[in-house]
Amino acid sequence: MEFLTARQKIVGTKIFDILSKMPKGGLLHIHLGATVRPDILLNLGLLYPAIHVRASAPITETTIKTTLPIFSALPKEEWTATCSLTDSSYKPDTWVPLQNARNNFSPALGGPEGFDRWVIDAMMINPSEAYGTHNTPDLIWKKFQSTFTVSEGMYGYIPLWTEYIRQFFLSSVEDGISYTEPRMIFFGDFVTGADGRKNVSHRDCLAIFDRVVKEVKEDLTKQGRGDDFLGSRIIYSTLRLVAPEQLEHYLEDCLALAQEFPHLIAGFDLVGAEDSLKPLIHYAEPLLKFIERQKELGLYIPFMFHAGETLGDGSPADMNLYDAILLGTKRIGHGFSLYKHPRLMELCKEREICIEVCPISNEILRLCGSMPMHPLPALMNQGLHVALCSDDPSIFGNMGLSFDFFQVFVASEVNTLATLREFVWDSIRFSSLSDDEKSRAYGMLERQWSKFIQYILTTYGKVEYAH
Amino acid sequence: MEFLTARQKIVGTKIFDILSKMPKGGLLHIHLGATVRPDILLNLGLLYPAIHVRASAPITETTIKTTLPIFSALPKEEWTATCSLTDSSYKPDTWVPLQNARNNFSPALGGPEGFDRWVIDAMMINPSEAYGTHNTPDLIWKKFQSTFTVSEGMYGYIPLWTEYIRQFFLSSVEDGISYTEPRMIFFGDFVTGADGRKNVSHRDCLAIFDRVVKEVKEDLTKQGRGDDFLGSRIIYSTLRLVAPEQLEHYLEDCLALAQEFPHLIAGFDLVGAEDSLKPLIHYAEPLLKFIERQKELGLYIPFMFHAGETLGDGSPADMNLYDAILLGTKRIGHGFSLYKHPRLMELCKEREICIEVCPISNEILRLCGSMPMHPLPALMNQGLHVALCSDDPSIFGNMGLSFDFFQVFVASEVNTLATLREFVWDSIRFSSLSDDEKSRAYGMLERQWSKFIQYILTTYGKVEYAH
């Protein structure tokens, strides 16, 4: 059964209950713009009067299915319109205050709850899209990308963003994730300041990130839960559609940020649909120069490239695996097509390149029909190191890591708790934490794991076989 | 796009035209009961007055969707009923002469053409079943198996069977296949003699097979096309649901047939749904004894086991790969899950075990969502020998081998004519032909291949890139 169809059933199982209590270690592959549940994001949006919404047509029973809500924070002098998006007189693309748009959403379309459904649906992929109308990688990527078009106008507003990041950390901790390395995209100027203007520097974004990490740490330590959160570092990412010269600008930006926030930059990546955007080789020159520049500056910003997130065989996206390894990538994001390449798997083993496998993401983005078709066992049987990751959980509905662990656990007759434990430890081992931090993390994991086993025994001890 | 959805488009492409002219060598994995197009089989059935049809309920607009036509040849004294299957007075399970049932099929249900559609649909898998209502291996296998329930009552009638086999050979030759090793199932007593009684011995079946091979060879030789057909041998198969003691009986039967028809028995196999039936290890004892018995009798009947036709990871069907190799299998039928097992792939390479890969079958039976998800490239990149096969073309609509070659060719950026040529030559190399016969076959292939290249150049020579 496919994940989105099975999701409700999964939540009701004992295995899921157990896995949701399991310490997960680090989360090494997640896009920061898809980390907070859409309903929570919308509720955050409603707290800020600056946030406005618009649509390209009046919303009716017909247009609601195909029209996206677009959000943006506006400067105060632009807070004027109070019309309803569902009114036939609504002038397309007029900004309406969010609270107002919600309250005045036509009762015929469900009123405020109907508004919520419209917005939340536009930020998620549902089963009939994934397995029906958009049942190919190309089609589902269109829907996938449109969810960011909807959400970025909210999470890109700096006051909201601060709470957004906090929410991401807290919900991760809730699922037993004690460390995260989200990919943060630097591209264009979608980030909006408190005053509703697009005047926020990359440095400011990172400073806020830094502050929230510290605040969450302090809060949890005060509650005696210091072990639960070891912190977070970003993987500086831009899109694989910039020109090579533009990339140089981003790489220099990354170097500057790493000099100011050496404890916050875990690595560098290029993101976006591999099948349709530029392959890594397109950027070979600036990327090689980046390595030289690091040496000059005494920095270490490892590559953590997306590669092989494709069904292609010998296609440029498949060939990205070769280039990622040639460029010395420390980890590979997805590596879905890696199982086809025996020599590359050997190299990953020799060079201890960890594969960030995102089972649910791959299934929903139609690289495999269902979890038993996922090539993960091929990588594991080759002895490769794997960290299980959630990729874009707010869009896929796989918040935390419990769902991905569940999918991997039940799709195989050979996986046991010991297998899952291996993933958890590898997620620390292949993180960018220092050796000292890793030692502390392993110690913490040992304590958490003992408590976890104790939970299983206490709760299910009377059942001979929980599986 | 899935095969059944794309089929019509495929037929119209230049690539398909080219591939349909390509010499294919041997067809090493096909089930004899699924080799002849359902419309041709039905037309053959209509030639014999002994063939009758029945249904478990009167056929109406409602029951037609779920009720199977069941066929059987009857002894003359039982040719009585002449009622219509679509009449409300039809007594369930009453045998009606086929010709009569067709002629009297209710005009409201399409008359004779409606009857044909009903019968043909019941012998094939359609896209809405494969990709909609039956979209998992378990569900689609139910439909798959029911198609045999329909067809076996016709092709199991010896006079028809004779023409059925001839039709199989001729249609194979038409698609450039010059040699076949079909799996022939020996199980129960569904074969009916000319007199409509179930009194046909396995020996008689094989003698007829032998005769038709010779007749087709002679006919083609007379037409100056002796090169086009090198013959055919069966792989003696029974079902992996017999008891181990029963299997001993079949193995002895196989030995006896191999003594009388040494030129006709290519190997031995156990067939049926691996996920639900008995694993190979269940039969270890009789199978090992079979090897000893061959030595005693001076025979060589290699195993050609189905193994790993499953999405299971570590499941009994997946473990069949280990047992097939341990038992010394010469080829592996499907080996779909083999890509997960690095050590087993090494062994297949060392021991020159050929993998009979059935791309379209695997897709329709829901082991992969579409061809680009098929693990074939993983096997090829490991250097394994592969023969492309059609498995059950009458059910899947992939008659001949052109469709399977097409699917493999277009799903990859690295496959060229040279790749396909390798499959073709391997299909001879890993056949059970003698070394002398293989030499003759290679010579013949060389001549056919030259003509084929000439065809491409003549027909598409002006087009710079046909692909």
Side-chain angles (χ1 to χ4, degrees):
Chain A
M1 210 188 245
E2 303 98 344
F3 172 68
L4 293 175
T5 323
R7 197 180 178 286
Q8 268 316 99
K9 286 195 184 174
I10 291 172
V11 173
T13 63
K14 288 177 185 169
I15 293 176
F16 186 77
D17 172 64
I18 290 173
L19 294 179
S20 68
K21 304 293 191 299
M22 189 177 81
K24 311 292 191 309
L27 169 49
L28 303 186
H29 189 116
I30 186 165
H31 295 273
L32 197 47
T35 54
V36 171
R37 248 171 47 198
D39 57 322
I40 297 178
L41 174 56
L42 176 57
N43 281 334
L44 285 176
L46 287 163
L47 298 176
Y48 301 95
I51 303 241
H52 285 60
V53 59
R54 72 176 185 195
S56 60
I59 300 305
T60 65
E61 227 171 288
T62 315
T63 61
I64 197 168
K65 287 169 198 148
T66 51
T67 311
L68 294 180
I70 305 294
F71 297 90
S72 183
L74 298 185
K76 206 154 191 176
E77 59 274 23
E78 293 175 30
W79 302 3
T80 48
T82 51
C83 53
S84 165
L85 293 172
T86 52
D87 201 288
S88 59
S89 69
Y90 172 71
K91 209 172 134 244
D93 294 330
T94 309
W95 290 114
V96 184
L98 174 54
Q99 192 64 262
N100 191 279
R102 182 178 187 270
N103 290 340
N104 297 326
F105 209 65
S106 159
L109 293 170
E113 288 74 28
F115 177 84
D116 295 350
R117 268 199 304 280
W118 175 49
V119 173
I120 292 167
D121 284 356
M123 289 195 274
M124 298 188 82
I125 292 175
N126 67 45
S128 60
E129 289 160 346
Y131 313 129
T133 52
H134 295 62
N135 189 17
T136 70
D138 276 4
L139 290 173
I140 197 69
W141 264 86
K142 290 205 173 75
K143 163 75 195 197
F144 175 64
Q145 281 162 326
S146 79
T147 66
F148 289 100
T149 310
V150 176
S151 56
E152 67 183 17
M154 287 192 281
Y155 71 70
Y157 180 49
I158 280 293
L160 191 156
W161 197 65
T162 312
E163 297 316 307
Y164 178 94
I165 301 168
R166 192 186 317 276
Q167 178 60 37
F168 163 48
F169 296 150
L170 291 175
S171 71
S172 298
V173 165
E174 211 50 53
D175 195 55
I177 297 163
S178 43
Y179 174 72
T180 62
E181 286 185 4
R183 276 154 168 92
M184 182 164 158
I185 292 181
F186 295 91
F187 181 77
D189 57 354
F190 72 83
V191 180
T192 312
D195 58 3
R197 295 183 200 285
K198 298 201 182 296
N199 53 9
V200 187
S201 70
H202 294 174
R203 194 215 158 269
D204 291 348
C205 291
L206 223 56
I208 293 173
F209 190 91
D210 200 18
R211 174 161 64 79
V212 180
V213 171
K214 283 180 188 142
E215 286 172 3
V216 172
K217 263 190 189 175
E218 283 165 14
D219 284 356
L220 288 168
T221 307
K222 271 185 216 153
Q223 298 168 36
R225 296 172 63 195
D227 259 9
D228 292 359
F229 185 60
L230 298 169
S232 183
R233 292 172 185 191
I234 66 145
I235 298 169
Y236 186 110
S237 307
T238 189
L239 299 177
R240 25 180 33 122
L241 48 74
V242 300
E245 313 80 64
Q246 272 180 293
L247 180 58
E248 281 198 49
H249 155 79
Y250 285 107
L251 289 167
E252 281 300 323
D253 182 45
C254 175
L255 291 168
L257 292 174
Q259 283 178 295
E260 185 173 353
F261 304 98
H263 59 294
L264 279 194
I265 306 283
F268 180 87
D269 190 13
L270 285 161
V271 307
E274 279 186 73
D275 278 330
S276 54
L277 301 179
K278 296 288 179 209
L280 282 178
I281 199 165
H282 186 66
Y283 302 110
E285 214 176 308
L287 292 172
L288 288 168
K289 193 171 154 194
F290 182 60
I291 298 173
E292 292 309 310
R293 290 282 289 135
Q294 289 178 52
K295 285 183 197 154
E296 282 168 35
L297 300 170
L299 292 168
Y300 175 56
I301 308 172
F303 292 132
M304 294 174 176
F305 286 128
H306 275 71
E309 186 186 7
T310 183
L311 286 177
D313 182 48
S315 67
D318 188 27
M319 292 299 105
N320 277 340
L321 289 167
Y322 286 81
D323 293 314
I325 295 171
L326 285 170
L327 286 163
T329 200
K330 184 182 162 174
R331 303 199 301 251
I332 289 176
H334 292 288
F336 186 87
S337 65
L338 183 61
Y339 77 99
K340 297 177 186 172
H341 301 283
R343 180 65 188 129
L344 295 187
M345 286 193 281
E346 267 173 38
L347 285 173
C348 287
K349 209 163 136 180
E350 281 167 32
R351 300 183 184 182
E352 304 210 309
I353 297 170
C354 174
I355 318 301
E356 305 162 351
V357 173
C358 308
I360 291 173
S361 167
N362 296 154
E363 194 253 76
I364 294 180
L365 296 180
R366 308 324 288 146
L367 295 184
C368 56
S370 65
M371 191 54 211
M373 295 181 195
H374 197 286
L376 172 59
L379 304 185
M380 289 166 65
N381 291 345
Q382 288 278 5
L384 297 196
H385 292 285
V386 166
L388 291 190
C389 308
S390 57
D391 205 8
D392 303 279
S394 71
I395 302 167
F396 305 141
N398 57 333
M399 295 303 301
L401 274 172
S402 297
F403 287 103
D404 285 280
F405 273 91
F406 180 93
Q407 289 291 86
V408 169
F409 186 69
V410 301
S412 166
E413 307 284 320
V414 287
N415 290 343
T416 64
L417 263 189
T419 321
L420 305 189
R421 193 180 187 280
E422 200 66 21
F423 293 133
V424 172
W425 259 251
D426 270 356
S427 73
I428 294 298
R429 179 168 168 202
F430 294 94
S431 72
S432 67
L433 291 168
S434 69
D435 287 347
D436 279 356
E437 290 166 319
K438 283 180 189 174
S439 298
R440 198 192 138 205
Y442 293 138
M444 172 217 79
L445 271 180
E446 291 286 359
R447 290 192 295 280
Q448 289 177 333
W449 198 268
S450 298
K451 269 187 8 203
F452 166 57
I453 299 296
Q454 204 49 55
Y455 170 79
I456 303 177
L457 292 174
T458 314
T459 316
Y460 299 102
K462 285 173 195 161
V463 184
E464 204 84 9
Y465 299 99
H467 185 30
Chain B
M1 212 188 243
E2 302 98 344
F3 172 68
L4 293 175
T5 322
R7 198 180 178 285
Q8 267 318 99
K9 285 197 185 174
I10 292 172
V11 173
T13 63
K14 288 176 184 169
I15 293 175
F16 186 77
D17 173 63
I18 290 174
L19 294 179
S20 66
K21 304 293 191 300
M22 190 178 80
K24 311 291 193 308
L27 169 48
L28 303 186
H29 189 118
I30 187 165
H31 296 272
L32 196 48
T35 53
V36 171
R37 246 170 50 197
D39 59 320
I40 298 179
L41 174 56
L42 176 57
N43 281 334
L44 285 176
L46 286 162
L47 299 176
Y48 301 94
I51 304 243
H52 286 60
V53 58
R54 71 177 185 195
S56 61
I59 299 305
T60 66
E61 227 171 290
T62 315
T63 61
I64 197 167
K65 288 170 196 148
T66 51
T67 311
L68 295 181
I70 304 294
F71 297 88
S72 183
L74 299 184
K76 206 155 191 174
E77 60 273 23
E78 293 175 30
W79 302 3
T80 49
T82 51
C83 53
S84 166
L85 293 171
T86 51
D87 201 289
S88 59
S89 69
Y90 172 71
K91 209 172 132 246
D93 293 330
T94 309
W95 290 114
V96 183
L98 173 53
Q99 193 64 262
N100 191 280
R102 182 177 187 271
N103 290 340
N104 297 325
F105 209 65
S106 160
L109 293 169
E113 288 73 28
F115 176 83
D116 295 350
R117 269 199 302 279
W118 174 47
V119 173
I120 292 166
D121 284 355
M123 289 195 273
M124 298 189 80
I125 292 176
N126 67 46
S128 61
E129 289 160 347
Y131 314 128
T133 52
H134 295 61
N135 188 18
T136 70
D138 277 3
L139 290 172
I140 197 69
W141 264 85
K142 290 204 172 74
K143 164 75 195 197
F144 175 64
Q145 281 162 329
S146 79
T147 65
F148 289 102
T149 310
V150 176
S151 56
E152 66 182 17
M154 286 192 282
Y155 72 70
Y157 179 50
I158 281 292
L160 191 156
W161 196 65
T162 312
E163 297 316 307
Y164 178 93
I165 301 169
R166 192 186 318 275
Q167 178 60 39
F168 163 48
F169 295 150
L170 290 175
S171 69
S172 298
V173 165
E174 210 51 53
D175 195 55
I177 298 163
S178 44
Y179 173 72
T180 62
E181 286 185 3
R183 276 151 169 96
M184 183 165 158
I185 292 181
F186 295 90
F187 180 77
D189 59 353
F190 72 84
V191 181
T192 312
D195 57 3
R197 294 183 202 285
K198 297 200 182 294
N199 52 7
V200 186
S201 70
H202 295 174
R203 195 214 155 270
D204 290 349
C205 290
L206 224 55
I208 293 173
F209 189 92
D210 200 18
R211 174 162 64 80
V212 180
V213 171
K214 282 179 188 143
E215 287 172 4
V216 172
K217 263 191 189 176
E218 284 165 14
D219 284 356
L220 288 168
T221 307
K222 271 185 216 151
Q223 298 168 34
R225 298 172 61 196
D227 260 8
D228 291 359
F229 185 59
L230 297 169
S232 182
R233 294 174 183 188
I234 67 146
I235 298 169
Y236 186 111
S237 307
T238 189
L239 298 177
R240 27 180 32 123
L241 49 73
V242 301
E245 313 80 63
Q246 273 179 294
L247 180 59
E248 282 198 48
H249 156 79
Y250 285 107
L251 290 167
E252 281 300 323
D253 182 45
C254 176
L255 291 168
L257 292 173
Q259 283 178 295
E260 186 173 353
F261 304 98
H263 59 295
L264 279 193
I265 306 283
F268 180 85
D269 189 12
L270 285 161
V271 307
E274 278 187 73
D275 278 331
S276 54
L277 301 178
K278 297 288 180 207
L280 282 178
I281 198 165
H282 186 66
Y283 302 109
E285 213 175 309
L287 292 171
L288 289 168
K289 195 171 152 194
F290 182 61
I291 299 173
E292 291 310 309
R293 290 282 289 134
Q294 289 178 53
K295 286 182 196 154
E296 282 168 35
L297 301 168
L299 292 167
Y300 175 55
I301 309 171
F303 293 131
M304 293 173 176
F305 287 128
H306 273 72
E309 187 187 6
T310 183
L311 286 177
D313 182 48
S315 67
D318 188 27
M319 292 298 104
N320 277 341
L321 289 167
Y322 287 81
D323 293 313
I325 295 171
L326 285 170
L327 286 163
T329 200
K330 185 183 162 175
R331 302 199 302 250
I332 290 176
H334 292 287
F336 187 88
S337 65
L338 183 61
Y339 77 98
K340 297 177 187 172
H341 301 284
R343 180 63 188 133
L344 296 187
M345 286 192 281
E346 266 174 37
L347 285 173
C348 288
K349 209 162 137 182
E350 282 167 30
R351 300 183 184 183
E352 303 210 310
I353 297 170
C354 174
I355 318 301
E356 304 162 354
V357 173
C358 308
I360 292 172
S361 167
N362 297 154
E363 195 254 75
I364 294 180
L365 296 180
R366 307 325 287 145
L367 294 184
C368 57
S370 64
M371 190 55 210
M373 295 181 196
H374 197 287
L376 171 59
L379 305 185
M380 289 166 65
N381 291 345
Q382 288 278 2
L384 298 196
H385 293 285
V386 166
L388 290 191
C389 309
S390 57
D391 205 9
D392 303 278
S394 70
I395 303 168
F396 305 141
N398 57 332
M399 294 304 300
L401 274 172
S402 298
F403 287 103
D404 285 279
F405 272 91
F406 181 93
Q407 289 291 85
V408 169
F409 186 68
V410 300
S412 166
E413 307 284 321
V414 288
N415 291 341
T416 64
L417 263 190
T419 321
L420 305 188
R421 193 179 188 281
E422 200 66 22
F423 293 134
V424 172
W425 260 251
D426 270 355
S427 74
I428 295 297
R429 177 167 169 203
F430 294 94
S431 72
S432 66
L433 291 168
S434 69
D435 288 346
D436 279 357
E437 290 167 317
K438 283 180 189 174
S439 297
R440 199 194 137 203
Y442 293 137
M444 172 217 77
L445 271 180
E446 291 287 358
R447 289 192 295 279
Q448 290 178 333
W449 197 267
S450 298
K451 271 189 3 205
F452 166 57
I453 298 297
Q454 203 50 54
Y455 171 80
I456 302 178
L457 292 175
T458 314
T459 316
Y460 298 103
K462 285 172 193 162
V463 184
E464 204 84 9
Y465 300 99
H467 185 32

